[in-house]
Structure formats: C-alpha cells, structure tokens
Amino acid sequence: MGKIKVGFGFDVHQLKENHPFVLGGVKLEHHAGAYGHSDADVLLHAICDALLGAANLRDIGFHFSNKDDRWKGISSLVLLQHVVALIKEKGFTIGNIDAMVCLEAPKINPHIPAMKTYIAEAAAISEEDISIKATTNEQMGFIGREEGVVAYAVCLIEKE
C-alpha cells in the first residue's frame, strides 16, 4: 500500500492601490493588488505551502526567500513548478488541491476556470483535481476594509 499525506497552506498579502493583482496566475482588473516580493499571488503561495508541508519540505519562505533577488517579481506559477519538482523528487504525486480565497473584491468566480487551467498546467495535474472557492469576510476586519487578501489550501499527495 502507498503512502498518502495531507498538507495545509495559508497566505496573506496586503493590498496596495494601483498595484497589479495576480490570483491563480490570472491578472485581475482592480484598483488595488496584492503586494509582495514575487507577484504576491496568495492563492498559489497557499497551494505551494500545502504541497511543501505535505511532503515535509518546510515552507515557501524557506525555498523562495524574500531576501533573494532571484524571486523578485517572479510569477508564482514558476514557484509552483519548482515545488512540484521538489515533491516529485521525493516520489510523490499530487492527488488533489482544494483552495479558498477570502477577499471583498473583485469577484473571482468568472476567473476560476482560467485559474484552474494555469494551476493544472504548472502542477501537471488535471483541472478535475483542483477546486477553488471564494468568500468575503462580510466587510469585517482588514479583509472587509479591502486592506488585504487571504488564501487557504489543502492538498493530498501520494507515493506508491
């Protein structure tokens, strides 16, 4: 019997006015965007942390330090590809990814199919194995004030 492991990931970024907003590899039209060292894609960062955690490979900050200029402004789809290579080196394959984004605006439902396509390509899995959901924070806290965005992800990885 093979080994099955579960991972959990979380990420948060502040939103800055007139900054690009990339989520799930998709550039969203919005007056503010997530700010960070890379493209600040909270969804992909949460997915990367879930995968790394499941494989006992520490976290995204360990592998892609915000002090390292190699990762400055990089697409988080590239980071996801690196993470998938790392878990494959340990003999794991991805079973599925389930993610949740929490933000007030913009509405991301129309963009979820494109996000799933980008993530599936970067992770070398089927879109059927990726679930992305979104919710608001009911106008409460930093999310409700549109000061930040949060993403959570869980994944299942398997080894024969």
Side-chain angles (χ1 to χ4, degrees):
M1 177 159 181
K3 186 165 201 122
I4 297 173
K5 297 179 91 178
V6 175
F8 171 75
F10 166 83
D11 196 38
V12 60
H13 281 279
Q14 64 180 304
L15 294 176
K16 288 205 171 186
E17 200 68 35
N18 300 314
H19 193 76
F21 199 168
V22 180
L23 194 61
V26 175
K27 187 170 184 212
L28 304 175
E29 293 299 321
H30 196 55
H31 65 86
Y35 180 78
H37 186 71
S38 65
D39 63 3
D41 189 326
V42 294
L43 176 57
L44 293 180
H45 292 183
I47 291 169
C48 286
D49 263 347
L51 292 166
L52 289 167
N56 195 23
L57 288 169
R58 306 216 24 196
D59 61 36
I60 194 170
F62 177 80
H63 293 278
F64 311 107
S65 170
N66 62 5
K67 307 270 189 272
D68 188 335
D69 284 340
R70 287 181 300 166
W71 313 120
K72 179 96 175 126
I74 196 164
S75 167
S76 294
L77 290 166
V78 173
L79 303 183
L80 178 58
Q81 289 171 332
H82 280 282
V83 167
V84 170
L86 289 170
I87 68 168
K88 283 185 178 179
E89 284 176 17
K90 287 190 80 173
F92 289 102
T93 58
I94 300 170
N96 75 303
I97 295 167
D98 185 15
M100 170 71 75
V101 179
C102 187
L103 74 169
E104 293 297 320
K107 298 297 183 196
I108 68 163
N109 248 355
H111 306 286
I112 288 175
M115 292 176 188
K116 288 176 67 169
T117 298
Y118 286 128
I119 294 167
E121 287 175 12
I125 62 173
S126 168
E127 290 179 34
E128 288 295 312
D129 295 325
I130 302 165
S131 173
I132 301 170
K133 303 169 301 293
T135 190
T136 69
N137 215 44
E138 299 296 333
Q139 301 178 340
M140 296 182 295
F142 72 91
I143 295 168
R145 291 187 302 272
E146 294 189 44
E147 296 169 1
V149 57
V150 168
Y152 306 90
V154 293
C155 71
L156 181 138
I157 61 173
E158 305 169 88
K159 184 189 282 190
E160 289 301 319

